[in-house]
Amino acid sequence: MGKPAASRARQQARFRRRRQALLITSCVFMGAFGGLFGILGRNVLASPPSFLASFGKQPSRPQSILVLGIDDNYDPSGKKVRNERARTDTIMLVTVLPEKHRLHVLSIPRDTKVLVPEYGTEKINAAHALGGTERTKEVVENLTGLQVDHVVEVSLSGAIEFLDSMGGVDVFVENPMHYTDRTAKLFIDLKQGWQHLDGRTAVGFARFRHDALGDIGRVSRQQHLMHAVEQKLLNPINWWRLPQMAAASGKLFSTDLTAGELGELANFGKNRPAISYTTLPGDFGYNGYWIPNRGRIETLVAKLTEDAKPAKQDVETAASVEILYGSQKEQAATKVAAALSERGVLVVRTAPATNGTSTATRIIGRNGNPVHEPALAALMPNAPWQMSDDTTPYSADYTLVIGPDYR
């Protein structure tokens, strides 16, 4: 009798461990997507059976999710005022590509010049103030040519609480940042270099726009902050914070995604899909406008449409890489080049980054090569990926930028 009882006890222990492992895996992904897209929003809490029933299914098709960061408004006394028609501080179009196990984030600068139906020419962040979520969705669809399937609205004050619940994040500040706006409750005072930011300073980092690049530099910082959140949430050492993050996320989001749809997205992401970032192609214009480049936008959308098709069988083809490095990073660039060469990747050149643009560490892809991308990710695991919209012929499939934040 002793052996069967012991065997049952071992089986029950194994079952508990498997159940705990599944729960932890699910919570980690939900926490990560909660930080990005609201997986732990009120919709899941309102219908947990539907969510759990869908967890195990994949999204049936590619879909686009519009993520809007909504400004906090204050009255003259400094008290926060709820406003359904506030301007959008952040606009991102997230494309989910189940067949390719990819997720692409298109950041749309809030100063983008658009035509708002019934109101005329405006900066895109005014669309929400003029016509709410539906009008913003319409403007984004007209701008990109992509259908918006769902919308997630993010409260900036809720983002502060959520980032605090995860213990803050580590980000690299390229240049000193100083700005004060007492009316908007925005106080930014950051030194150059790696910094650990709590919720308020992290949101300030993402909202800062008082440098040479204005809103475009701001978009880049938002992407780097999202990548830092992703990296921290998927690190097992931080999983003990999941209950606090789950509680904080309920105040962070509102969305039209159902619990079942959120369950499918959770299953899609539990194996960590490849995430890439792009800023809406365009140029600086008059009166602070960001002028969309229609031709480059069409090229970018064509790439996303191509990525939405079922993946072809991987074929061993040559991949070419250029490596650009920032100050005092030549030795690191040389080591990366040698490691890539050992793995069969052609390094066409290694050179200092001298074009005056940001030298923040990142991987820029032009022609996807699924055979060699794991090698790039393994060598630079903390580098965010960007999709290039450049339409001109280029000598390299990928550009690796090794900046002062490389480690």
Side-chain angles (χ1 to χ4, degrees):
M1 295 294 292
K3 287 186 177 180
S7 176
R8 285 196 299 273
R10 286 194 297 271
Q11 288 177 347
Q12 291 172 352
R14 285 196 296 269
F15 174 76
R16 285 195 299 271
R17 287 194 296 271
R18 286 196 297 268
R19 184 173 59 187
Q20 290 167 353
L22 176 61
L23 179 61
I24 288 172
T25 300
S26 304
C27 287
V28 168
F29 175 71
M30 287 187 290
F33 263 53
L36 300 176
F37 320 118
I39 289 296
L40 282 177
R42 285 181 287 272
N43 295 31
V44 169
L45 301 177
S47 182
S50 179
F51 173 83
L52 293 174
S54 298
F55 189 77
K57 300 178 182 179
Q58 286 281 359
S60 59
R61 60 180 178 82
Q63 54 190 280
S64 293
I65 303 170
L66 180 61
V67 181
L68 304 175
I70 307 300
D71 272 332
D72 292 326
N73 292 310
Y74 298 87
D75 64 19
S77 68
K79 183 179 179 180
K80 188 166 67 174
V81 178
R82 179 173 176 79
N83 186 350
E84 299 291 344
R85 292 290 182 88
R87 287 176 179 258
T88 46
D89 193 76
T90 302
I91 305 172
M92 296 180 176
L93 187 61
V94 180
T95 303
V96 180
L97 303 168
E99 291 284 352
K100 294 290 185 71
H101 199 58
R102 288 179 178 273
L103 187 150
H104 182 72
V105 180
L106 173 65
S107 295
I108 302 175
R110 71 179 200 170
D111 292 339
T112 300
K113 183 179 180 180
V114 295
L115 181 65
V116 180
E118 300 180 17
Y119 292 94
T121 300
E122 297 281 354
K123 293 181 178 179
I124 195 169
N125 72 324
H128 191 270
L130 295 171
T133 300
E134 286 303 314
R135 184 55 51 86
T136 306
K137 176 180 173 181
E138 179 185 6
V139 170
V140 170
E141 288 180 333
N142 291 339
L143 176 65
T144 64
L146 290 170
Q147 175 181 317
V148 174
D149 300 292
H150 299 287
V151 179
V152 173
E153 292 194 351
V154 182
S155 160
L156 292 181
S157 57
I160 292 173
E161 186 173 342
F162 181 83
L163 288 163
D164 281 336
S165 74
M166 60 181 291
V169 290
D170 294 327
V171 301
F172 187 83
V173 181
E174 286 195 76
N175 298 294
M177 299 167 59
H178 307 287
Y179 181 71
T180 297
D181 185 341
R182 297 187 183 280
T183 302
K185 304 290 185 180
L186 187 59
F187 307 96
I188 303 170
D189 185 15
L190 296 175
K191 297 179 180 179
Q192 186 178 30
W194 279 102
Q195 305 287 341
H196 180 78
L197 307 183
D198 63 11
R200 188 167 297 279
T201 51
V203 169
F205 168 82
R207 297 185 70 184
F208 183 81
R209 54 183 293 177
H210 299 274
D211 58 11
L213 292 176
D215 204 33
I216 302 307
R218 181 174 174 275
V219 164
S220 176
R221 284 185 287 273
Q222 290 173 356
Q223 294 173 352
H224 278 80
L225 178 61
M226 286 183 64
H227 182 71
V229 169
E230 173 201 350
Q231 293 293 305
K232 183 161 186 177
L233 288 173
L234 293 175
N235 187 337
I237 200 172
N238 299 307
W239 291 357
W240 66 274
R241 297 181 182 273
L242 288 171
Q244 299 97 299
M245 289 188 285
S249 68
K251 304 175 184 178
L252 182 56
F253 306 98
S254 62
T255 179
D256 60 2
L257 284 157
T258 66
E261 290 165 337
L262 290 171
E264 292 177 355
L265 287 173
N267 184 53
F268 163 73
K270 68 183 179 183
N271 294 320
R272 298 187 65 175
I275 302 177
S276 60
Y277 300 88
T278 304
T279 300
L280 184 83
D283 302 284
F284 293 104
Y286 63 94
N287 291 336
Y289 282 118
W290 180 249
I291 310 299
N293 186 315
R294 299 292 177 178
R296 288 166 60 191
I297 292 173
E298 290 177 3
T299 299
L300 180 63
V301 170
K303 283 186 178 182
L304 291 175
T305 303
E306 181 65 27
D307 272 348
K309 298 177 181 178
K312 298 178 182 178
Q313 185 176 2
D314 290 354
V315 178
E316 185 69 37
T317 57
S320 58
V321 169
E322 71 168 351
I323 301 176
L324 305 179
Y325 55 86
S327 176
Q328 301 181 350
K329 290 298 179 180
E330 182 175 4
Q331 186 175 1
T334 301
K335 289 182 179 179
V336 171
L340 287 173
S341 297
E342 289 177 359
R343 301 185 187 203
V345 178
L346 175 64
V347 179
V348 295
R349 76 175 184 128
T350 302
T354 58
N355 59 1
T357 60
S358 170
T359 58
T361 299
R362 59 197 185 278
I363 300 172
I364 304 171
R366 296 180 183 83
N367 303 307
N369 190 315
V371 174
H372 292 289
E373 285 184 4
L376 303 182
L379 285 171
M380 301 177 65
N382 297 319
W385 286 69
Q386 293 181 341
M387 179 187 293
S388 173
D389 64 277
D390 192 353
T391 59
T392 60
Y394 205 80
S395 60
D397 297 319
Y398 301 93
T399 295
L400 275 55
V401 182
I402 299 180
D405 56 330
Y406 177 79
R407 59 182 184 180

